[in-house]
Amino acid sequence: GSAQGSGAMGGSASLIPRDLLGEYQELTFLSKQEILLAYKRFSELLPKEERENACSARVPKSQILTLPELRANPFQQRICHVFSTSETEDDSMSFEDFLDMLSVFSDSATSDIKSYYAFRIFDFDNDGILDRSDLEQLVNCLTGQGEGSRLSSAEMEQLIQNILEESDIDKDGTINLAEFQHVVSRSPDF
């Protein structure tokens, strides 16, 4: 094949084919610059020998979690899970998964898109609704797992009551996506 000759162009291995670049711009909220930067960051997470084919490589979850944006995020595990399209469910990411993630977290993403993904991230058991156990895990993630910061069960109960009172419009004891998006739309700083 002609793959042999591709090195002759100097740094071209680090670039995305132009047609793909256009497609990524259409499918994400990212600018061309942001996509190219994402590509550079993604390839840097790969072992050197895989960098040439970064578009088709997968980065293991352990590497994704080293990104500064995720390192301090209490939902890092869930974020990897929600954006990963890995068929083996190892939460590894392809470049397109990585772009999707950056796109949703970018300032240009619409609040509908952001809240849709937030909902999926908070839906710890992936059953399409936020129930009490999801809310409990959510609160634990937010308050930290340290002994000093854990809520007592009474405080937790009170907090979950409050969340449900605010959000559970049909009063079925769970929050569905529409209810969640309704709450989010009322609190823009969310």
Side-chain angles (χ1 to χ4, degrees):
S2 58
Q4 219 69 49
S6 68
M9 301 279 297
S12 67
S14 62
L15 293 176
I16 304 171
R18 188 168 291 146
D19 52 341
L20 260 184
L21 190 57
E23 204 173 305
Y24 291 150
Q25 274 177 276
E26 277 173 41
L27 295 174
T28 65
F29 295 99
L30 303 170
S31 68
K32 195 190 235 164
Q33 271 58 45
E34 289 170 317
I35 293 168
L36 292 170
L37 181 61
Y39 187 81
K40 179 174 181 293
R41 293 186 64 193
F42 184 79
S43 15
E44 283 164 3
L45 296 172
L46 288 165
K48 286 211 161 45
E49 63 277 8
E50 286 182 39
R51 286 182 189 168
E52 292 247 334
N53 305 313
C55 272
S56 55
R58 296 195 78 86
V59 167
K61 174 184 185 171
S62 55
Q63 281 295 99
I64 298 286
L65 292 176
T66 63
L67 293 165
E69 294 89 331
L70 286 182
R71 216 175 294 153
N73 192 306
F75 301 105
Q76 44 168 244
Q77 305 286 337
R78 291 292 307 155
I79 290 170
C80 283
H81 183 74
V82 164
F83 287 98
S84 168
T85 55
S86 164
E87 289 176 5
T88 58
E89 303 220 344
D90 59 1
D91 294 352
S92 64
M93 282 196 192
S94 66
F95 178 57
E96 296 187 3
D97 295 345
F98 185 67
L99 270 190
D100 275 339
M101 175 178 77
L102 293 179
S103 174
V104 168
F105 288 113
S106 81
D107 294 336
S108 333
T110 63
S111 61
D112 266 4
I113 296 266
K114 284 186 188 299
S115 56
Y116 168 75
Y117 279 98
F119 182 84
R120 289 190 50 197
I121 288 163
F122 300 160
D123 179 14
F124 288 86
D125 54 10
N126 308 307
D127 65 353
I129 51 170
L130 304 187
D131 54 21
R132 282 173 168 276
S133 76
D134 291 324
L135 294 174
E136 212 163 292
Q137 290 192 69
L138 171 56
V139 172
N140 280 335
C141 276
L142 289 173
T143 53
Q145 301 289 355
E147 277 309 301
S149 54
R150 297 256 0 208
L151 297 180
S152 69
S153 50
E155 291 170 321
M156 175 68 87
E157 186 48 43
Q158 187 53 57
L159 188 52
I160 288 180
Q161 281 305 117
N162 294 351
I163 296 173
L164 286 170
E165 247 157 63
E166 279 286 293
S167 326
D168 179 18
I169 298 166
D170 61 13
K171 299 295 172 223
D172 65 351
T174 64
I175 302 168
N176 61 35
L177 177 60
E179 290 170 333
F180 182 77
Q181 289 188 313
H182 179 70
V183 176
V184 173
S185 68
R186 291 202 322 245
S187 41
D189 53 347
F190 177 83

